[in-house]
Amino acid sequence: MTVFPVTVAVAVVLAALALGVYLSWRATRLHRLHVRVDIARAALEEALRRRGAAVLDLVAARVRAADDPRGGDHGQVPAPVEELMAAATAALATRGAVRGRGGPGHGALGHGGLDPAVLGDGGPDAAGPSEDGRTGPIDGGAARQARYELAESRLSRALRAAVEPADGHVGAVVGVPSEEVRERLAAVAAAARSVQLARTFYNDAVSDTRRARRSRPVRLFRLAGTAPLPDYFDIDDQAPRTPYSMAEPDTL
Amino acid sequence: MGMRVGLVCPYAWDVPGGVQQHVGDLADALAAMGHEVSVLAPVGDTEAALPDHLVPAGRPVPVPYNGSVARVAFGPRAAARVRRWIAEGGFDLLHIHEPAAPSVSLLACWAADGPLVATFHTSNPRSRAMAVGSGALRSAMEKINGRIAVSEAARRTLVEHLGGDAVLIPNGVAADAFARAEPLPGWPGEGGSLGFLGRVDEPRKGLAVLARAFVRLAESRPGLRLMVAGPGDPEAALADVPARLRSRVAVLGRLSEADRVRAYHSTDVFCAPNLGGESFGIVLTEAMAAGAAIVASDIPAFAAVLDGGGAGDLFAAGDSDDLAARAGALLDDGARRAELSAAARLAVRAYDWGTVAADVARVYETVLMWDGAGHGHPSGVRLDTGPSATALLRRGQV
């Protein structure tokens, strides 16, 4: 008669133990996904910052080359180059504004873990987390997030318009005989490719995390805790086709 | 700045195959760029000459996988070797090839914690291994920080089975190594010749399609010959070739590396009659690098590599009549062959290992950009310690 309750008690303890192990496994997986999203987000923002900076370098070189007597355009900077400069400046400023509101963060990378200064120039209001203590581009941040995405998309378009040939003419950035422009353009092309990579990896991490967050045990036992649901980063990130990558000397 | 990279190859190193070759070439290209590389792979023949950076992961066993026989290593002993390799390697990052393959690749996904990059090679919409495992595999796959697909088809396959996304970085080809070579003795000959290279006993490589096309052409072209190079028993594929034409089919078997390069230079028209499942076609890009005039089946991966037909003629996959018609037209038109040859050499440059490995290294840099920064972990790859109870306590606090 006394065997029965003991058996039940043992079974209950074992089941609780098994559940505990299972839940901590799920929590560990989810934690790892959140870390992955955070790292990927930081990498994406850094890649975007580097692209913006590389574009400004390119524009500066192009403006110098415009004064080149050997074939510059007599100090006149073509319109696509001006738009390129405006787009890059706007993208960097918008990024600063987003970061200033507490960063990309769903966590430590945004503040606390890393000095915002390490992450790049934080913009005018990079002083700290937002007043309401929320961290992500959730809440009011959604609008800022949208502005950020639009600004980066505009930069991608401006870059293509200024670099790629159209109507039988070479791109406005390229139409000067300057080795410096050529080098900086290669750097911009590499930075634009890094943006594509970083964005794919970030959205991939977001997709995995959102799927994990939908699963039953995660919702039932609130394994996500207070972590905000990460959002996709949707921009036009198509890189420009540079004339140099299209026509290299035939070495074969 | 050099990185310390661990590459994981799931298939037996001493058996030729697309993934093995990819990993080997990538390792060489990365080393040439100044990175430190270690490759973990199953090795069957312990006597085989192995490159210095190769670490054997145990003896492989043959298992049917994705329509062919894969030689993989799985089990406690392989797992122990994987763990030791990770623990002792001190890697900045692991790059795991075909991570869903039930071999050291999957074991490495499970065993590792830290920056992981994975390359997906398979393009098979009905990949049973991936479909069956998609739930069980998820815990391994979701650790991967950066996914690479070698073709649009491979990318689609992985998106369908696992969700998420991947960046596209094609297979590389060591174009310079194939650019110039003497034809094999006696080739291409006066009467015209067709060439095939690949496993001859694997139906999806399509040798049977080419054999039927050859029979059709050979009736009206008394001098035409067919060169078949590659491992395996070709009898089944050549069953449709009547005895009187057999003497005009040269079966060369497996070729040495040097002879393989020469084989691409040995025929008038090179045929790639694959029926599908080929995510990329390393043979195709090698033939392009050699400047062969190519007729290939119009499966999406081949059409993409051949610029939609600009760098090689495409025929309806599986249709030996169509193949015969196009190969025949090319045999008769030397000018067109020269044109395709030049176009192929140009188009293949996008797939040169120099270009490709630089893009792969950029993936590494992107993944490593914030590794270890600010989330309380050490940087680099370490052993996974498994589920942790503290994860339950600090829910949501990254």
Side-chain angles (χ1 to χ4, degrees):
Chain A
M1 279 297 120
T2 56
V3 175
F4 182 62
V6 170
T7 315
V8 169
V10 167
V12 166
V13 166
L14 283 180
L17 218 60
L19 182 70
V21 169
Y22 174 73
L23 286 181
S24 55
W25 178 63
R26 291 302 297 249
T28 305
R29 275 176 61 185
L30 195 62
H31 171 71
R32 206 165 9 216
L33 280 169
H34 283 135
V35 170
R36 185 179 140 205
V37 167
D38 250 23
I39 294 177
R41 176 76 187 204
L44 170 61
E45 298 202 1
E46 174 64 11
L48 288 167
R49 186 193 67 78
R50 288 183 189 180
R51 179 177 72 156
V55 166
L56 288 184
D57 280 350
L58 171 66
V59 169
R62 177 63 181 82
V63 169
R64 275 193 292 279
D67 300 325
D68 191 322
R70 283 174 301 155
D73 22 26
H74 316 294
Q76 290 291 313
V77 175
V81 177
E82 291 200 335
E83 160 60 12
L84 186 58
M85 184 160 80
T89 310
L92 286 171
T94 319
R95 173 182 173 283
V98 172
R99 290 217 61 89
R101 301 289 177 197
H106 323 286
L109 281 181
H111 34 241
L114 266 187
D115 183 352
V118 176
L119 285 164
D121 48 323
D125 50 0
S130 58
E131 317 72 40
D132 56 4
R134 296 292 294 267
T135 54
I138 321 295
D139 59 278
R144 278 190 294 273
Q145 171 76 10
R147 271 212 312 281
Y148 188 17
E149 291 174 352
L150 283 175
E152 295 293 350
S153 294
R154 175 184 168 199
L155 177 53
S156 296
R157 279 193 303 276
L159 196 51
R160 291 201 299 273
V163 171
E164 291 183 354
D167 308 327
H169 294 287
V170 294
V173 160
V174 198
V176 285
S178 160
E179 191 56 34
E180 191 191 10
V181 167
R182 194 188 157 109
E183 276 166 19
R184 301 246 164 127
L185 182 56
V188 166
R193 174 62 175 162
S194 292
V195 166
Q196 287 180 322
L197 299 175
R199 189 175 83 92
T200 304
F201 298 155
Y202 171 74
N203 280 350
D204 188 27
V206 169
S207 155
D208 275 358
T209 305
R210 291 179 80 106
R211 187 183 32 236
R213 296 274 293 259
R214 279 197 303 271
S215 80
R216 208 178 299 251
V218 168
R219 280 181 299 153
L220 196 63
F221 293 95
R222 300 175 155 275
L223 295 184
T226 53
L229 194 63
D231 270 316
Y232 293 102
F233 196 82
D234 284 320
I235 58 165
D236 168 357
D237 64 2
Q238 200 189 323
R241 282 166 61 89
T242 68
Y244 308 123
S245 65
M246 283 187 281
E248 280 164 5
D250 192 334
T251 52
L252 282 176
Chain B
M1 39 128 223
M3 293 175 260
R4 193 161 159 70
V5 181
L7 296 173
V8 183
C9 171
Y11 306 132
W13 192 259
D14 44 343
V15 177
V19 175
Q20 294 92 312
Q21 182 149 20
H22 177 111
V23 175
D25 287 345
L26 176 61
D28 291 342
L30 287 171
M33 293 165 68
H35 303 297
E36 270 182 85
V37 183
S38 173
V39 179
L40 182 75
V43 177
D45 178 5
T46 46
E47 306 292 300
L50 301 173
D52 289 341
H53 54 237
L54 194 105
V55 176
R59 295 186 68 83
V61 290
V63 297
Y65 179 71
N66 269 333
S68 32
V69 174
R71 298 184 160 269
V72 301
F74 198 83
R77 287 185 65 171
R81 290 193 187 214
V82 169
R83 293 183 70 83
R84 200 172 67 207
W85 179 70
I86 292 172
E88 294 174 357
F91 298 114
D92 294 319
L93 166 142
L94 290 192
H95 183 170
I96 298 168
H97 290 262
E98 213 68 302
S103 183
V104 284
S105 291
L106 187 53
L107 292 171
C109 281
W110 277 330
D113 191 10
L116 301 184
V117 170
T119 293
F120 292 77
H121 298 259
T122 308
S123 71
N124 185 345
R126 284 172 296 280
S127 168
R128 241 189 314 158
M130 261 180 153
V132 169
S134 60
L137 288 180
R138 185 142 286 148
S139 68
M141 298 300 118
E142 70 191 15
K143 290 161 108 179
I144 297 166
N145 300 82
R147 297 171 175 177
I148 299 169
V150 297
S151 69
E152 194 48 54
R155 179 170 161 268
R156 253 198 318 276
T157 302
L158 108 89
V159 170
E160 273 165 26
H161 290 300
L162 299 172
D165 202 356
V167 297
L168 196 64
I169 300 180
N171 245 310
V173 57
D176 287 345
F178 290 88
R180 260 177 273 279
E182 284 296 308
L184 293 166
W187 293 87
E190 292 299 312
S193 53
L194 303 178
F196 172 92
L197 209 144
R199 283 204 72 89
V200 297
D201 53 357
E202 229 176 79
R204 67 188 179 123
K205 301 286 185 196
L207 177 57
V209 178
L210 174 59
R212 284 194 293 277
F214 169 73
V215 171
R216 183 167 295 265
L217 288 167
E219 302 290 358
S220 56
R221 295 163 190 265
L224 183 69
R225 290 187 298 160
L226 171 63
M227 173 190 282
V228 176
D233 178 7
E235 273 319 301
L238 298 177
D240 290 339
V241 181
R244 67 197 150 78
L245 295 179
R246 279 300 173 98
S247 62
R248 286 156 63 184
V249 179
V251 178
L252 306 185
R254 175 181 297 172
L255 297 178
S256 69
E257 189 71 18
D259 281 352
R260 202 158 57 97
V261 177
R262 295 176 67 185
Y264 289 118
H265 291 268
S266 297
T267 56
D268 295 309
V269 174
F270 185 84
C271 302
N274 302 45
L275 299 172
E278 199 78 8
S279 60
F280 183 75
I282 195 80
V283 166
L284 193 60
T285 41
E286 288 176 358
M288 291 167 76
I294 297 168
V295 183
S297 47
D298 62 354
I299 58 177
F302 284 9
V305 173
L306 290 172
D307 272 349
D313 270 348
L314 298 171
F315 74 97
D319 185 343
S320 48
D321 291 346
D322 194 24
L323 172 54
R326 287 176 191 273
L330 265 190
L331 284 168
D332 294 336
D333 190 346
R336 172 76 180 143
R337 289 207 302 273
E339 207 177 286
L340 285 181
S341 165
R345 283 179 190 270
L346 195 68
V348 82
R349 226 176 293 147
Y351 302 92
D352 185 77
W353 264 117
T355 315
V356 171
D359 217 21
V360 172
R362 197 167 291 133
V363 166
Y364 297 166
E365 281 159 19
T366 306
V367 164
L368 288 177
M369 210 178 276
W370 290 111
D371 174 51
H375 57 94
H377 284 298
S379 60
V381 181
R382 60 227 162 253
L383 283 176
D384 193 333
T385 48
S388 108
T390 54
L392 265 177
L393 299 175
R394 59 175 183 205
R395 284 175 301 160
Q397 297 157 23
V398 178

